[in-house]
Amino acid sequence: MKIIEKVDELRSAVAAARNDEKTIGLVPTMGALHGGHRSLVERARRENDVVVVSVFLNPTQFNNKEDLRTYPRTAQADAAMLEECGVDIAFMPTVEEIYPEPDTRVFDLGPVAQVMEGAMRPGHFNGVCQIVSKLFEMSQPTRAYFGEKDFQQIAVIRAMAHQLGFKLDIVQCPCVREADGLAKSSRNVRLTPEVRRVAPNIYGTLRASLDFARHHSVEQTHDWVVATINAWPEMEVEYFSIVDGTTLQPVASWDDTSYIVGCITVYCGDVREIDNITYKQV
Ligand code: PAF
């Protein structure tokens, strides 16, 4: 595995691969790699000739500076995991390398980017689009891999790729969970033991709501999920939105559309956990 820190070096490496008509799979990450990332990398490995994994803690997508400050940084362990997965290129640039000058681009991606995380974390998706568009441009991937845990992020990246005319497949990969159901996340290491014990009830409640939803309205299901999770003193729901899985706009009835997803964020102590569940997909 090559560890590349310079953009020009990455460009030369992918140009050579492209010249040889090789397919390139890109897995963008912010490091602190876990089993969820591993599954993305393994899939990219199976489906492409060349696998590029970027490890870059992108400051422009953090609307909360404390979250950026406390985000786990594990570069050595990340490189070891990528090597073990048979990655060809680990792209590990500095902030100055990616942003030699401030990125002032403003993306307008319409309604998919305005609800949920877009409303709660102003500027977050703009920062995600800044870095992901740069990574697409620098690494010219045939396919790019993203985890379904960040359900809205995938929709926003699809909209950005479409708007900017990137020709690549955006591959949506299933959320990977701990044995007790908690979605794997780099931020999980920041949960206190007490909070870690109750956090699996986020997914437990979402799963139980599938049954509840069979006999109740969208509004009743929404209220039941929020009340059930909030009954644990260690957790507080920030939002739970039941939305059309494509447009991400709220639905009022189970008959509104053929694809319905519930997206949730919950404060577990001071760690913000995100998860989702599919109610309907036909
Ligand atoms: O999902 C993430 O880890 C980040 O938002 C991404 C896509 C790597 C961009 O920094």
Side-chain angles (χ1 to χ4, degrees):
M1 180 178 84
K2 258 195 187 163
I3 297 186
I4 293 184
E5 291 174 0
K6 297 291 176 200
V7 173
D8 284 348
E9 205 185 324
L10 176 65
R11 284 190 201 283
S12 310
V14 297
R18 282 272 179 191
N19 274 345
D20 293 346
E21 300 198 351
K22 291 189 167 153
T23 55
I24 299 171
L26 170 70
V27 184
T29 82
M30 296 201 298
L33 303 181
H34 50 67
H37 297 111
R38 180 186 280 272
S39 77
L40 300 180
V41 173
E42 287 173 348
R43 180 152 175 197
R45 182 65 290 169
R46 286 195 301 275
E47 296 180 353
N48 299 277
D49 299 318
V50 174
V51 176
V52 178
V53 179
S54 60
V55 177
F56 178 67
L57 189 51
N58 174 41
T60 73
Q61 71 187 74
F62 283 80
N63 58 316
N64 176 342
K65 294 302 160 207
E66 187 58 11
D67 190 24
L68 174 61
R69 196 185 64 76
T70 55
Y71 201 88
R73 290 154 167 89
T74 58
Q76 270 192 350
D78 293 347
M81 184 206 268
L82 297 179
E83 175 102 61
E84 195 189 302
C85 292
V87 165
D88 299 290
I89 297 172
F91 179 49
M92 303 176 95
T94 61
V95 173
E96 294 70 31
E97 183 66 16
I98 292 292
Y99 299 113
E101 54 216 41
D103 191 339
T104 54
R105 289 175 299 158
V106 177
F107 292 82
D108 179 1
L109 299 164
V112 285
Q114 287 159 7
V115 292
M116 301 191 287
E117 294 299 275
M120 291 296 166
R121 303 178 67 189
H124 167 64
F125 283 135
N126 204 62
V128 169
C129 289
Q130 288 174 341
I131 184 59
V132 174
S133 61
K134 276 178 181 271
L135 292 169
F136 284 178
E137 193 270 317
M138 290 164 184
S139 59
Q140 300 289 310
T142 320
R143 304 182 185 88
Y145 295 80
F146 297 92
E148 219 165 48
K149 178 172 80 75
D150 296 298
F151 187 77
Q152 188 178 10
Q153 172 171 273
I154 300 181
V156 169
I157 290 171
R158 277 190 205 288
M160 176 277 288
H162 179 73
Q163 198 175 86
L164 298 184
F166 284 110
K167 298 270 175 285
L168 81 165
D169 281 346
I170 291 174
V171 186
Q172 179 166 333
C173 303
C175 175
V176 178
R177 299 182 178 280
E178 303 291 350
D180 57 15
L182 181 64
K184 286 192 189 258
S185 159
S186 305
R187 292 181 178 89
N188 287 354
V189 294
R190 291 175 41 213
L191 295 169
T192 63
E194 300 72 45
V195 177
R196 175 65 188 81
R197 258 194 299 280
V198 298
N201 290 299
I202 300 170
Y203 188 56
T205 304
L206 291 177
R207 296 254 328 149
S209 77
L210 292 176
D211 235 12
F212 187 93
R214 272 193 255 284
H215 312 288
H216 296 85
S217 68
V218 167
E219 190 183 345
Q220 287 167 329
T221 304
H222 169 275
D223 293 351
W224 182 81
V225 166
V226 173
T228 305
I229 294 177
N230 282 345
W232 278 279
E234 299 86 351
M235 298 198 282
E236 187 171 5
V237 175
E238 183 182 45
Y239 68 78
F240 177 49
S241 298
I242 300 179
V243 300
D244 178 307
T246 307
T247 65
L248 303 193
Q249 301 312 295
V251 297
S253 141
W254 299 118
D255 297 326
D256 272 7
T257 170
S258 56
Y259 184 20
I260 299 183
V261 179
C263 298
I264 196 162
T265 65
V266 181
Y267 273 99
C268 296
D270 59 3
V271 180
R272 193 170 177 273
E273 293 284 355
I274 185 165
D275 209 337
N276 61 76
I277 191 117
T278 300
Y279 287 105
K280 182 176 171 187
Q281 189 168 21
V282 286

